[in-house]
Amino acid sequence: MFDDIQHRLSDALGRFKVRGKLTEANMQEGLKAVRTALLEADVNYEVVQRFMKRVTEKAAGQELIKSVRPDQQIVKIVHDELIDLMGEGDPHIRFEKSGPTVLMLCGLQGSGKTTTAGKLARRMLGLGRKPLLVAADLQRPAAIEQLKVLGQQLDVPVYTEDPSKADPVEVCRKGVAEADRLGRDTVILDTAGRLHVDDELMGQLKRIEKKVRPHQVYFVCDALTGQDAVASAGSFNEALELDGVILTKLDGDARGGAALSVRQVTGVPIKFVGMGEKLERLDVFDPQRIVGQMLGMGDIVGLVEAAKDAVDEEEARRQQERMAKGKFDLDDFRKQIVTMKKMGSVKDLMGKIPGMNQMGSMLEGVDADAEVKRIQGIIDSMTPEERRDPDRIDISRRRRIAAGAGCEPQDVSGLVKQFDAMAAMVKQMSQMSMLDRVKTLSGLGKAGAFNPGAMLKTSKQSTGKRLSAKEREKQKKLREKEARRLQREQREKRKGGPNP
């Protein structure tokens, strides 16, 4: 979602390449570009006006800090003001000491309320709570069936009634009574929505609030609808006095304006954000991380959290020990691919690494996740011996592997060649200091290690004369000899002190 606004803000902030003192004159063009970027990202006009006023007041006349460029100071000011604009994250839910805590979800039709109800129930389970879901959206029978399916997946009870005979207010009241009877301590009400705000919808929600008295009312806001979502959030807040907002579909391609505007318009905190259809994808709203992604600063915290969930510590330790000894084969490579896939898509991971989101253009027109899947398919089609020693893969083996992976033999050959370069680099790095390893990473980049789709997109190259097994063994020994030479040079360089 934030790719568009990130590019716009990057272009705008790039105009502050000035020296000396920041004045109103040299800031005018850059601030105008920032304002335009926010408006084009569908941020509420009044919110933009107030935001720009604060940024201008802070930036005008700011003295140049030693060793910090003026454009970097402006980025800091914009960064802090964007965080202030979105408000602090508040994932806290106040639970009642006696009786079930009632959480009511409201919003327009299609905003993702039912899916969010399931995600919220899963989050309650993680907190040690015992939730019960109430299907109060009688306007859409499919919503009742969807909630039943979600309840089965989570092993959470769902209270339902015949939509042709029931009243939504009574369904909510009886649902709370059922939770009390079953000893469930949290009730999640999935109420009805409309295509737009109308008196009938608001009247129904007001009756539910009056009769059931929910302890927390959350507005489920579809971020893809931009300013319409912000306007409807204001209407719901006036009618129900919201306690928080849950933003959905942040994995979509909207312009991000709703996320920046909804807090200022409603005055209530954004509690959670939905990042996909999977039930585990309801994240705590963290404005610092979102603003960091908007300004191209990445999301290291998110990357670490994704790695923590995906990485097997024992396996990671084993691989680290192997690589420290210069050992790295296609089995190790495959395990790293599997771990990376658990952490998310290639594009998501690149967006979380500072500076790497600028490299997204490298993958333009390439389905990187599909290419990674193809690479894994090629490796899976190899025998254990071939994974340990790719040099034994001759033309007949290439054809067999390609047939098993559903690709061309030259794709297998390209993967093996690129892996050879990576394995040699890993062996070389195993003998280096940490500083030298960092420098050598640029060599891995040239080898295509940071562009997994590259190895399957290169055209077939003529190999000339086919090498015999003896000649391949000879070439392997030459590569190992070259790697030892590089290691020797590194040791001599360290003994002789830093190279001037």
Side-chain angles (χ1 to χ4, degrees), residues 38-82:
L38 294 172
L39 290 173
E40 289 179 345
D42 211 16
V43 181
N44 180 273
Y45 177 78
E46 294 297 329
V47 172
V48 172
Q49 292 297 88
R50 293 196 294 270
F51 174 82
M52 292 311 302
K53 183 180 179 182
R54 292 196 301 272
V55 171
T56 303
E57 288 173 352
K58 283 190 175 183
Q62 179 119 351
E63 294 293 337
L64 179 64
I65 301 173
K66 187 177 181 181
S67 301
V68 180
R69 300 196 314 267
D71 56 305
Q72 293 173 333
Q73 293 183 57
I74 290 290
V75 169
K76 175 68 167 63
I77 293 169
V78 171
H79 174 271
D80 293 346
E81 286 300 319
L82 282 173

Side-chain angles (χ1 to χ4, degrees), residues 250-285:
L250 256 73
D251 56 326
D253 57 359
R255 289 174 287 176
L260 287 169
S261 307
V262 70
R263 170 61 188 261
Q264 292 292 311
V265 171
T266 63
V268 299
I270 301 172
K271 292 278 189 178
F272 306 102
V273 292
M275 299 290 288
E277 289 295 320
K278 293 182 180 179
L279 292 175
E280 63 269 19
R281 297 308 304 271
L282 185 69
D283 300 332
V284 171
F285 174 72

